[in-house]
Amino acid sequence: MDKINLLIIVTTISLFISVFLAFFLLTVKTKQKTSNVLFAVFLLVTAIDTSHPLFNLVADGPSNLGMLRNTLSFFQIPVFYLYVLSVCYTDFKLKPKYLLHLLPFLIANLILLPRFYSVDTAAKINFIMNRKDMFELQFFHILIHLQIVIYFTAVFMLLRKAKKLYLENYAGTSINAYNWLFQFTSVLTVLYLIVILKNVFKFSDYPYVSEWIRIGILVLQPFIICWYLYKALNNPGLFRNIDSKLKLVSDLILEEKNNDQVTVDEKEYNQELLKLQQYMVEEKPFLNPSLTIQDVAKGIKVPVRDLSLLINHKLEQHFYDFVNAYRIERAMDILKDVTKSKVTVLEILYEVGFNSKSSFNTAFKKHTGNTPTSYRKGL
C-alpha cells in the first residue's frame, strides 16, 4: 500500500468518526446543548481542515475552495475557546461580540484576495510553487502561530480560574469535568505545537520533514478523535457548570481592602464557625452529592460572601475539601461499624455523598493516607 492510499484511508476513518461524534453531540438529550453544538462544530471544522488527501482526489490543482479549506484553521481555535467557556460557565450564551473571534479568519482571506482568490489557475499554481517568497503565506503562518499561543494561554488561564471557583463554591464530583478539559487542552496544545514545528520546516530547506510531520498528524488524528468519542459516550453527563458571576476569594479580600471594609471580629468569626460546624454535624448537608456553598449559606442564614471567606480564607480550606472531610469521617464511621461489614465500598461512597469511585478514593486517601479497602482491613 503506497503513502497516498494510506493517507486516504486514514483520513476517511477520521472523517467518519468525527461526523459520527458530531451527530451524537447534536442529537443527545442534554441541558448543555450549546457546549455540545460548539464541540460538534469544532470536530467538523477540524475534519474539513485535515481532509486534504480526500480533497486532492477531486481537486484539479489549486483552487479558491481549497485555500478556503486551509484558512479554516483560523476558525478551529476560537471555537474551541468558546467551547471551554461554555463548559466552565452555566450562564454562558452566544453573543454578537463573539463574532470578533472570526477576525483572524477574515483577515487571512482578505490578504489572499488580490494574488490568489482573484487570479486564474496558472497564477494560483505559480503562487503555490513560490510559497516561500509569498508575503501572504508567511503572514498566514505568523498569524496562526500567534493565535495558537494567545488562545491556548487564555484557555489555560480560564481553566485555572474555573477550577478555583469550583473548589471554593461546590462540593460535587464535577471536578472531573475540569480534569477532562485540562487533558483535552493539553493534548490539543501538544498537537498544535507539532503543527508549528511542521510549518517551520515547511519554509526551511527541509520541506520533506514538514511533509512527514503532516503525515504523522494525519495518522494520529483517528486515535485522538476516538479518545473524544470514548469520553463523550462514557460520560454523557460529565459537565456541570459554575456561575461566571462568582468571584474568587482572593478577589473578595482585595475588594474589602480597597473599600476599607472592616473584617469580622474574632467573636463573630467564632460564632459563625460554631454555627457552621453544628449545622454540618446535625443536618448532614454533605450527604447531598450536589451540595453548593449557596445551599449551606441558606441553611445557616449567613451571606454567601461571608461563608466563602470563612471557609476558603479563615479556615484555609477549599469548600470542596471542607465538605469532603465530613463525608470521609462519615465513611470511616461506617467502615468501623462491625454490623456493616457486608456493606461494600461502592455502597458507602454513595451513602456519604460521593457519586464517583475515583473522587471518593482520592479524597479518602488524602484524608487518611489509606484507600477505603486497606483502611477497613487494618481495623
Side-chain angles (χ1 to χ4, degrees), residues 271-281 296 300 307 310-311 315 319 322 326:
Q271 287 176 345
E272 288 185 350
L273 179 59
L274 185 63
K275 188 190 294 186
L276 172 63
Q277 292 172 335
Q278 187 176 357
Y279 176 73
M280 296 299 288
V281 172
V296 177
I300 63 174
L307 182 59
L310 173 63
I311 297 173
L315 294 181
F319 178 74
F322 173 79
Y326 282 92

Side-chain angles (χ1 to χ4, degrees), residues 113-364:
L113 189 61
R115 293 208 295 172
F116 187 87
Y117 287 127
S118 302
V119 297
D120 57 23
T121 303
K124 284 182 172 62
I125 293 173
N126 182 65
F127 185 89
I128 298 299
M129 293 296 292
N130 296 285
R131 58 180 174 272
K132 287 185 180 181
D133 302 319
M134 295 299 173
F135 162 77
E136 293 89 343
L137 294 183
Q138 292 174 6
F139 178 81
F140 181 104
H141 286 89
I142 291 171
L143 188 60
I144 192 70
H145 294 170
L146 282 174
Q147 189 188 47
I148 289 170
V149 172
I150 292 170
Y151 272 93
F152 277 102
T153 300
V155 170
F156 278 115
M157 290 175 65
L158 172 63
L159 289 177
R160 184 171 177 267
K161 181 182 178 181
K163 187 173 183 178
K164 279 187 176 181
L165 282 172
Y166 188 88
L167 292 173
E168 290 179 359
N169 295 277
Y170 296 88
T173 59
S174 297
I175 195 68
N176 292 332
Y178 300 101
N179 294 334
W180 144 251
L181 279 176
F182 183 81
Q183 292 169 9
F184 185 15
T185 305
S186 298
V187 169
L188 279 184
T189 301
V190 172
L191 192 62
Y192 277 105
L193 287 175
I194 294 172
V195 169
I196 290 176
L197 184 63
K198 174 185 75 71
N199 291 336
V200 169
F201 279 110
K202 188 176 181 179
F203 288 92
S204 72
D205 294 328
Y206 309 97
Y208 62 90
V209 176
S210 174
E211 181 64 17
W212 279 110
I213 293 175
R214 183 181 72 84
I215 293 170
I217 293 172
L218 288 174
V219 172
L220 280 175
Q221 196 77 11
F223 297 99
I224 296 173
I225 298 170
C226 282
W227 179 57
Y228 298 159
L229 183 62
Y230 172 79
K231 285 287 187 180
L233 293 177
N234 280 281
N235 302 280
L238 182 67
F239 306 117
R240 176 172 179 254
N241 314 98
I242 59 180
D243 192 335
S244 64
K245 299 181 185 67
L246 290 173
K247 294 182 179 180
L248 292 170
V249 169
S250 57
D251 294 333
L252 295 178
I253 295 169
L254 186 62
E255 283 180 6
E256 285 193 349
K257 289 180 179 178
N258 292 337
N259 296 331
D260 295 324
Q261 292 182 4
V262 180
T263 56
V264 294
D265 58 31
E266 197 67 23
K267 183 178 179 181
E268 187 177 349
Y269 160 69
N270 289 331
Q271 287 176 345
E272 288 185 350
L273 179 59
L274 185 63
K275 188 190 294 186
L276 172 63
Q277 292 172 335
Q278 187 176 357
Y279 176 73
M280 296 299 288
V281 172
E282 294 178 358
E283 301 298 328
K284 297 179 175 57
F286 55 85
L287 298 179
N288 174 11
S290 301
L291 185 68
T292 68
I293 200 168
Q294 288 87 349
D295 298 330
V296 177
K298 185 178 179 182
I300 63 174
K301 296 179 174 58
V302 170
V304 176
R305 181 191 182 96
D306 293 347
L307 182 59
S308 181
L309 288 170
L310 173 63
I311 297 173
N312 293 292
H313 179 57
K314 293 291 185 179
L315 294 181
E316 297 183 341
Q317 269 188 302
H318 289 311
F319 178 74
Y320 181 84
D321 294 324
F322 173 79
V323 172
N324 279 348
Y326 282 92
R327 290 170 175 167
I328 297 304
E329 289 291 339
R330 173 73 173 172
M332 289 167 65
D333 290 338
I334 298 173
L335 289 169
K336 292 175 186 175
D337 192 341
V338 293
T339 64
K340 295 185 178 181
S341 59
K342 299 294 183 183
V343 179
T344 66
V345 170
L346 188 63
E347 290 172 321
I348 292 172
L349 74 89
Y350 285 124
E351 184 177 337
V352 301
F354 287 92
N355 54 21
S356 164
K357 190 174 181 179
S358 61
S359 298
F360 176 61
N361 287 337
T362 301
F364 197 95

Side-chain angles (χ1 to χ4, degrees), residues 362-379:
T362 301
F364 197 95
K365 193 166 185 179
K366 181 179 180 180
H367 193 76
T368 67
N370 292 300
T371 63
T373 304
S374 61
Y375 179 84
R376 173 178 264 175
K377 288 179 180 178
L379 294 174

Side-chain angles (χ1 to χ4, degrees), residues 24-39:
F24 166 78
L25 290 167
L26 292 172
T27 56
V28 67
K29 293 182 179 179
T30 176
K31 292 179 181 179
Q32 283 78 36
K33 194 68 178 176
T34 302
S35 298
N36 281 8
V37 170
L38 287 169
F39 194 12

